[in-house]
Amino acid sequence: DAGVIQSPRHEVTEMGQEVTLRCKPISGHDYLFWYRQTMMRGLELLIYFNNNVPIDDSGMPEDRFSAKMPNASFSTLKIQPSEPRDSAVYFCASSFSSGPKTGELFFGEGSRLTVL
Amino acid sequence: AQKITQTQPGMFVQEKEAVTLDCTYDTSDPSYGLFWYKQPSSGEMIFLIYQGSYDQQNATEGRYSLNFQKARKSANLVISASQLGDSAMYFCAMRGDDKIIFGKGTRLHILP
């Protein structure tokens, strides 16, 4: 079975440019999470969706960040305009709401963003 | 508000020794789940073990066990007979009210 698929794996861009990160969750999973990982702040929850609906976006740093989930198989995280402090690894993860290990997260491989 | 705390930024352990990684949590939700994930230097996140708040027994998965002390709100990970391949970053996580948050992690170094 295919796992969570993220693209691009690596992105290098210049300050001020728009960045779009993409995620395809595991089929049948009803939760999707976006995390940002940095050395200083660890793994921060940015936003999560349940059945394609954003539930909590309180972790989104500021208005430059936006996320969408137009259908059950696709989500995007957009940064516009990007800044050097946005440089991080962005993880997408999905989970199924029921089962013996309720909420086990399945992570993508991450998108490493570098903003120059 | 939910909170996860890992107080050990780094640990050095001799190969074959047992390791305990600390994790404390705080939540007002009576139903929650606790997880441990491993992140090797390659960057992927690997699920290790899960403990539900209503589980009566401590979870075990091979060499991993979770020392769950509900009254103390702690969920320490115990790795028995450590191996060189256990060198990695370890994250404690909690699911409460659907949200899943992570601690800042502990970097474990296994020495030959």
Side-chain angles (χ1 to χ4, degrees):
Chain A
D1 290 340
V4 176
I5 300 171
Q6 290 187 247
S7 63
R9 292 292 313 281
H10 301 273
E11 174 97 4
V12 180
T13 190
E14 292 190 346
M15 183 173 64
Q17 296 298 306
E18 178 179 296
V19 174
T20 299
L21 307 178
R22 298 172 178 80
C23 176
K24 176 179 169 58
I26 292 174
S27 177
H29 282 189
D30 53 352
Y31 282 85
L32 184 139
F33 299 79
W34 282 101
Y35 292 90
R36 177 173 69 176
Q37 184 176 26
T38 60
M39 289 288 289
M40 292 297 295
R41 303 175 70 93
L43 268 166
E44 301 173 273
L45 175 62
L46 299 178
I47 185 171
Y48 74 96
F49 297 82
N50 178 218
N51 292 320
N52 314 337
V53 176
I55 303 300
D56 186 342
D57 66 354
S58 59
M60 296 286 259
E62 47 198 272
D63 292 346
R64 297 184 298 105
F65 285 69
S66 63
K68 293 182 179 179
M69 191 165 185
N71 57 62
S73 59
F74 185 66
S75 177
T76 60
L77 178 67
K78 186 174 292 187
I79 309 171
Q80 166 64 17
S82 57
E83 296 182 3
R85 61 191 167 128
D86 301 331
S87 297
V89 179
Y90 291 81
F91 283 101
C92 174
S94 68
S95 75
F96 189 54
S97 57
S98 64
K101 296 174 184 171
T102 302
E104 177 188 344
L105 280 174
F106 293 79
F107 281 84
E109 293 183 301
S111 294
R112 181 176 295 277
L113 173 65
T114 303
V115 183
L116 303 174
Chain B
Q2 299 174 82
K3 188 176 181 182
I4 287 275
T5 303
Q6 294 180 254
T7 57
Q8 307 152 309
M11 287 184 70
F12 289 83
V13 173
Q14 209 68 39
E15 188 181 9
K16 298 181 184 176
E17 289 185 353
V19 181
T20 297
L21 304 180
D22 295 340
C23 173
T24 58
Y25 61 91
D26 193 17
T27 180
S28 56
D29 194 336
S31 177
Y32 52 89
L34 296 156
F35 305 82
W36 278 91
Y37 287 83
K38 173 184 179 181
Q39 187 179 43
S41 57
S42 52
E44 73 265 34
M45 295 289 285
I46 302 168
F47 167 79
L48 294 178
I49 196 166
Y50 166 82
Q51 179 87 42
S53 60
Y54 293 120
D55 292 345
Q56 295 296 312
Q57 294 187 319
N58 286 345
T60 60
E61 292 280 354
R63 292 187 301 113
Y64 304 108
S65 60
L66 200 151
N67 185 1
F68 181 46
Q69 298 189 43
K70 196 170 182 176
R72 298 178 64 180
K73 293 189 176 180
S74 75
N76 298 340
L77 177 70
V78 180
I79 306 174
S80 63
S82 58
Q83 303 171 356
L84 295 177
D86 294 333
S87 293
M89 195 76 169
Y90 289 80
F91 292 97
C92 181
M94 176 173 66
R95 182 171 198 150
D97 195 23
D98 287 345
K99 181 185 293 192
I100 302 178
I101 61 168
F102 286 77
K104 293 206 180 299
T106 296
R107 185 166 295 281
L108 177 63
H109 304 268
I110 304 298
L111 304 173

